[in-house]
Amino acid sequence: MNISTRQIDAFLALAAQRNFTRAATQCHLSQPAFSALIRALEDDLSVRLFDRSTRHVELTAAGANFKESAQRIRTEINAAVASMRDEATMRRGRAAIALLPSLAAGWLPDQLAVFHQQHPGVELEIADVLSEPCIDMVANGKADFALAAIRADTPDLQAEPFCSDDYHLVCRDDHPLAKTPRGRKHVVTAAELAQWPFIHMARHSSVRQFLEAALHPQPMKSVMEVEQLATVMGMVRAGLGISAIPSLTLFHFQQKGLVTRPLHWPELTRKIYLVRRRDRSLSIAAQALYTQLMANRPTVASTSTPPR
């Protein structure tokens, strides 16, 4: 059995009009073509749907029962078509992204504001989590793509470079490392950082992992480790220690009494990747968000200029 929407439409038109000529006109068909559709439908269903006479066309009992189902089918088809058209024209849809908190808090909001203004009907889901949860969310289908500090190239996942993030020293403005020696451009070294109490991010954060790799084997005077960059800021501002943080997090440290200085270490660069599934194309809404974010990637070059 292969009932078509044309047959459903023809049946509903005849059920409403009770006249082959008017129903055929409503369906923009000749009467012979219309009658053939009705006969084919009755043959497919193996039941007579209409009693015909020279003056009247009436639904049979089976036809009356089928009418309810036909109306429900047509309503569902109309809804499905409307939904697909809405998604195709971005009047509705859904896009889910997982990304590092530093990107989610600093760079992403302005991007989403533009996207939402252009596509107000698209539902956005944002997960601001560390790199490993980002990758997990893409792998299990909870996120369309992720921005993470892990190059997750696997049989199921693909990663493409998104941006690079260099590091900065952060300290109080009355700290010795806040001063630049006269007459030369001074680059703070790992040995200089090691002289002072140091506030670390948690070991599972990409901020900490990249920093430790660059500092190895230099031992540090670690006084504490915390989960949140805002906490690092508060501890540094209180004079409990210094820290080193990526450029994308500098907005947390634009506080009175604090100084940030670039750390020009070639080995200290945090690379961010966009990770997505290999076997699954993005929805129209997710593809639009992906395109916008890739075209407006954060630039941190200006934050890496040596102090004058």
Side-chain angles (χ1 to χ4, degrees), residues 63-83:
N65 289 335
F66 182 67
K67 181 180 177 182
E68 294 182 8
S69 298
Q71 288 172 329
R72 184 171 61 253
I73 290 169
R74 173 38 79 187
T75 298
E76 291 178 353
I77 291 173
N78 289 344
V81 171
S83 177

Side-chain angles (χ1 to χ4, degrees), residues 44-59:
D44 285 337
L45 295 175
S46 300
V47 66
R48 190 174 184 84
L49 299 173
F50 294 96
D51 287 326
R52 306 158 174 85
S53 70
T54 56
R55 294 185 177 182
H56 300 287
V57 175
E58 297 292 340
L59 284 167

Side-chain angles (χ1 to χ4, degrees), residues 3-272:
I3 298 175
S4 70
T5 55
R6 293 187 69 199
Q7 289 173 318
I8 295 291
D9 290 341
F11 168 81
L12 291 174
L14 187 55
Q17 298 292 341
R18 307 296 175 94
N19 179 281
F20 273 85
T21 301
R22 291 195 299 270
T25 300
Q26 179 179 321
C27 293
H28 306 288
L29 293 171
S30 66
Q31 186 168 329
F34 181 85
S35 297
L37 279 178
I38 297 298
R39 285 196 302 271
L41 177 61
E42 291 179 322
D43 290 343
D44 285 337
L45 295 175
S46 300
V47 66
R48 190 174 184 84
L49 299 173
F50 294 96
D51 287 326
R52 306 158 174 85
S53 70
T54 56
R55 294 185 177 182
H56 300 287
V57 175
E58 297 292 340
L59 284 167
T60 64
N65 289 335
F66 182 67
K67 181 180 177 182
E68 294 182 8
S69 298
Q71 288 172 329
R72 184 171 61 253
I73 290 169
R74 173 38 79 187
T75 298
E76 291 178 353
I77 291 173
N78 289 344
V81 171
S83 177
M84 291 301 97
R85 286 174 176 167
D86 283 347
E87 186 168 341
T89 56
M90 298 285 285
R91 287 196 295 267
R92 61 181 297 179
R94 172 186 172 276
I97 177 175
L99 73 169
L100 296 171
S102 55
L103 284 165
W107 164 78
L108 185 66
D110 287 343
Q111 297 303 317
L112 292 189
V114 172
F115 185 86
H116 181 68
Q117 184 176 24
Q118 295 173 343
H119 311 293
V122 174
E123 177 186 354
L124 296 171
E125 295 186 14
I126 309 301
D128 50 343
V129 293
L130 299 181
S131 288
E132 289 186 5
C134 279
I135 302 304
D136 290 342
M137 291 188 70
V138 175
N140 62 31
K142 292 182 178 179
D144 296 305
F145 57 89
L147 298 175
I150 296 177
R151 185 165 191 163
D153 272 316
T154 70
D156 297 324
L157 302 176
Q158 67 180 40
E160 54 187 311
F162 186 72
C163 68
S164 295
D165 197 12
D166 52 15
Y167 274 65
H168 287 241
L169 160 72
V170 57
C171 61
R172 283 169 54 121
D173 58 8
D174 58 358
H175 193 281
L177 290 180
K179 313 302 179 185
T180 301
R182 292 183 179 180
R184 64 189 179 95
K185 295 176 181 177
H186 180 68
V187 177
V188 177
T189 65
E192 287 177 292
L193 292 186
Q195 297 176 27
W196 305 98
F198 199 88
I199 298 168
H200 272 297
M201 290 290 292
R203 293 182 182 276
H204 55 264
S205 71
S206 62
V207 174
R208 172 75 171 271
Q209 292 164 2
F210 279 88
L211 181 61
E212 284 197 332
L215 288 170
H216 182 79
Q218 176 67 59
M220 303 295 291
K221 292 183 178 179
S222 300
V223 293
M224 67 180 72
E225 62 178 50
V226 298
E227 293 279 349
Q228 306 296 332
L229 283 159
T231 308
V232 174
M233 182 276 296
M235 298 301 176
V236 173
R237 189 169 59 182
L240 292 169
I242 64 172
S243 193
I245 47 93
S247 299
L248 290 173
T249 72
L250 282 173
F251 65 93
H252 282 292
F253 299 88
Q254 294 171 350
Q255 304 284 336
K256 183 178 180 180
L258 294 184
V259 168
T260 61
R261 291 185 52 190
L263 297 173
H264 295 288
W265 305 353
E267 68 277 15
L268 186 53
T269 300
R270 185 176 67 155
K271 294 184 178 180
I272 310 296

